Amino acid sequence: MAAVTDLTIAQLTAALAKKETSAVEVAEAHLAKLDEHRALNAFITETPDKARAMAKASDERRWKGEAGLLEGVPLAIKDLFCTEGVQTTAASNILKGFVPTYESTVTSNLWKSGAVMVGKTNLDEFAMGSSNMTSHFGGVENPWKRKGDNRKLVPGGSSGGSAAAVAAYMVPGSTGTDTGGSIRQPAAFCGIVGLKPTYGRCSRWGVVAFASSLDQPGPFTRTVEDAALMLQAMAGHDPKDSTSAPLPVPDFAAAARDPNIKGLKVGIPKEYRVDGTSEEIVALWAKGVEMLKAAGAEPVEVSLPHSKYALPAYYIVAPAECSSNLARYDGVRFGLRVPGKDLPEMYENTRGAGFGKETRRRILIGTYVLSAGYYDAYYKQAQRIRTLIARDFKQAFETCDVLLTPTAPTAAFAAGDKMDDPVAMYLNDVFTIPASMAGLPGISVPAGLDKDGLPLGLQLIGRAFDEVTMLRAAAALEKAAAFSGRATGY
Amino acid sequence: MSLDKDTVARIARLARLKVPDEELAPLAGELSGILAWIEQLNEVDTSNVAPLSSVSDVTLPMRADKVTDGGIAAKVLANAPGGAVYIDPTDKNAGGFFTVPKVVE
C-alpha cells in the first residue's frame, strides 16, 4: 500500500474499511506531515491531542460497525469556523483569546461523519484577500514553486492555508469558505480541487461572518470524488441558519463517479475573455472546451452581458456587509480591548489596533457606501446590478447545463506582489465573483501546468442547487485533463 | 468620486476606527482609486430593475415558540471578559450575569 498520506479520501476510507490501517495510524502519519512542513505556515493552531483522541474514538466506532462517511479521515479546518474549545481567530488580532464554546454546524456535521480534526488553517484576515497575505499570523507559502526559481509564491486566498495543506499532502481534505472566490482561486493556485456550493447548501451557522449574503463553506480536496464526499457530509438544512436551504442532500459522490456527459450542453461565456488574462490560461480554457467535447458534451457560446460589472458591484456589496458584520468587534464583550480616555476612544483604539490594513480599508469603503447621501448611488445601484447578473445566468442556463470558464486570470504570484494596488489584487477574482453574486455553485479543477510548471485551474459553474450536474462535468474534465502535477518546491 | 483626508477622517469616525493622521492621505488615495473604479457601475441603466439583497429564494422560516436548548449557562458566560457571575454558585443554571468592563460613564 502507498503511504497513507498519499491516499485520497476515497482510498483512505477504503483502506480503513479493509482494516489495512487504523484512524490512529492515519492521524499520526498526517500529524508528522504538519510537523515536517510547518514552515509553510498553513496552520494557525495545530490540534494533535484532539486529533489523537478523535482518531481513537473513530477506530472504536469502526470496530463496533458504526463507520460514518468520512470515518477516520483527517481534515484541516479554516480558522473561520468556530470549534468548541479550540481558539478561533479569523486570522485577526481582534479575536485574540477567543475560544468558542460551541461548534459550527458544518464542522459538527463533519465530526458526525467520523472525520478527525488536525488543526485550524491560516487565512486572510476575516477572509478578506486573495493572497493570504493579510493574515495577522503571517502569509502562507504555496507548496508550488516556479521551475528554477526559489521565490515564495502565494497560495491564493482567502482560504490559503486550507489549500496549501491539501497541496502539501498534510491532509487529504480541508474546509474553506468562499465569498467571492476564496475557495476556487486558492484551489487553482495550489493545483487541487475547490468547490463552492450553492448559497444555502451548507450552513453558515458558527462561521465568522464577512459578507452574509455571499459567504458559503465548501471543501478542498485532491480529487473531484473527494470534494463530493466532503460536500455530502458538510451540506444539509440547518434551522439555525435562516438562509440554509430546506432541501435534501443528493448523492454527490455518485455524481462524481459518473463522468458521463454525453449530450451535456456546456456554455462558454464570451464576456469571460478579459484583458490581463494569461495567454496560457486562455489556451487551457480552449483545450478544456475540446476535452469536454471529446467526452461527448456540446459546447455552446452564451452571453453574460453584465459580467464586467460583477467585480465593482461586489466591492460595494461585500464591504458594506463587512462593515456591518464587523461592527460587533467593539472591545466590550470578547476579544481584544485597548483602553481609551472615554468609551468612543476605547472603541476606536481597539478597532484600530485589532484590524489589519485590508480589513480597515474594507470597513471604511463599506461605511462610506452605506452613509447618508451615498446609499442609493452606491449600495442600491450595486444591488440592482446584482439582479442583472443573476438574470444573465438564468438566461444562459436556458441554453446550457453548466458553464466552463478559467478560475483565475493568472497562476500563483510572488508573495508581496499586488499588495500596494488593491484593485489589481481584486482582479484575481474576476472569473469567480459573478457566480458568487448570483449564489451559484462553482468548482475549480486543476487542468494543466504553465510554462513555469505552475498549476492552472478551470472553473465549472452550475445551476442553483444542481451541484450534481456540475460534479459530473468536473469528473469528466478531471478524467480528460489527467492532471498529475505535484508540488515539489517545499 | 475622490475622497479627501477630511472625508476619510469622518468615515473613520463613523466606523469607530482609529486611523493615525499620517495614514489619512495614503488611505484617501487608495479609497479614491477603488471608488473611481466602482464608478463604471453608473454606465448601467437600472431604472426598472429591483435591487437584489439576497439570492436565497427561501422566505424566512417561522418556528414554534418553544425552548430548543438550555442548561448551558456556563458555556454562555465562559467568554465574559469580566468573568461569569452566578446568582447561585451551587446551581449555575439558576441564572447569572455576563460581565464586561464598565462602559457607562
Side-chain angles (χ1 to χ4, degrees), chain B residues 49-71:
Chain B
V49 182
L52 180 70
S53 52
S54 171
V55 289
S56 90
D57 286 336
V58 196
T59 44
L60 283 180
M62 301 292 280
R63 66 168 177 85
D65 187 15
K66 273 197 315 215
V67 176
T68 55
D69 61 5

Side-chain angles (χ1 to χ4, degrees), chain A residues 84 99 101 309 316 332-333 337 343 348-349 351 360-361 364 367-368 378 381 383-384 387 437, chain B residues 1 11 13 15-16 18 23 30 38-39 41 43-44 46 49-50 52 55 75 79 81 101 103 105:
Chain A
E84 188 173 354
V99 179
T101 55
Y309 301 111
I316 292 176
V332 175
R333 288 154 302 160
R337 177 186 178 97
L343 189 61
E348 290 181 2
N349 289 348
R351 292 164 61 79
R360 290 203 299 265
R361 198 147 52 199
L364 291 172
T367 305
Y368 181 70
Y378 287 108
Q381 176 71 355
Q383 286 192 320
R384 291 197 162 104
T387 302
M437 291 293 269
Chain B
M1 173 67 85
I11 310 166
R13 175 89 190 138
R16 295 287 184 266
K18 185 179 180 173
E23 283 181 29
E30 284 168 14
I38 285 172
E39 291 290 297
L41 295 180
E43 298 163 24
V44 187
T46 56
V49 182
L52 180 70
V55 289
K75 279 187 173 187
N79 278 308
V103 289
E105 270 134 21

Side-chain angles (χ1 to χ4, degrees), chain A residues 119-329:
Chain A
K120 306 285 299 283
T121 57
N122 206 339
L123 63 149
D124 279 299
E125 186 180 11
F126 282 106
M128 296 179 208
S130 309
S131 66
N132 212 112
M133 294 296 284
T134 73
S135 166
H136 176 66
F137 300 89
V140 172
E141 189 182 330
N142 191 327
W144 292 78
K145 291 218 165 63
R146 292 189 188 113
K147 265 186 294 196
D149 182 342
N150 216 26
R151 263 178 306 170
K152 288 182 185 175
L153 303 176
V154 300
S158 67
S159 316
S162 289
V166 171
Y169 288 71
M170 294 155 94
V171 278
S174 60
T175 65
T177 60
D178 191 313
T179 304
S182 284
I183 290 175
R184 291 160 286 164
Q185 182 254 20
F189 277 21
C190 292
I192 58 171
V193 174
L195 189 161
K196 181 201 97 83
T198 311
Y199 182 82
R201 181 64 92 182
C202 290
S203 169
R204 292 180 296 109
W205 193 83
V207 181
V208 177
F210 156 23
S212 306
S213 80
L214 296 154
D215 298 342
Q216 183 59 209
F220 285 101
T221 53
R222 292 191 290 263
T223 67
V224 172
E225 182 188 5
D226 282 3
L229 282 167
M230 267 189 81
L231 180 61
Q232 192 98 41
M234 293 164 73
H237 178 237
D238 177 13
K240 287 191 282 196
D241 172 1
S242 62
T243 60
S244 160
L247 295 172
V249 179
D251 193 342
F252 294 127
R257 289 183 195 120
D258 171 27
N260 177 9
I261 54 164
K262 216 168 161 49
L264 189 81
K265 292 202 168 60
V266 179
I268 314 300
K270 60 179 183 188
E271 289 82 5
Y272 279 46
R273 294 181 190 113
V274 299
D275 292 345
T277 306
S278 110
E279 276 174 34
E280 287 178 275
I281 286 173
V282 175
L284 181 74
W285 186 20
K287 216 169 127 189
V289 176
E290 288 311 312
M291 286 189 238
L292 292 180
K293 199 173 159 186
E298 189 189 318
V300 284
E301 188 178 82
V302 296
S303 176
L304 300 168
H306 297 91
S307 294
K308 73 176 257 209
Y309 301 111
L311 197 55
Y314 174 90
Y315 276 96
I316 292 176
V317 172
E321 294 186 20
C322 132
S323 72
S324 309
N325 271 325
L326 271 53
R328 76 190 68 179
Y329 303 104

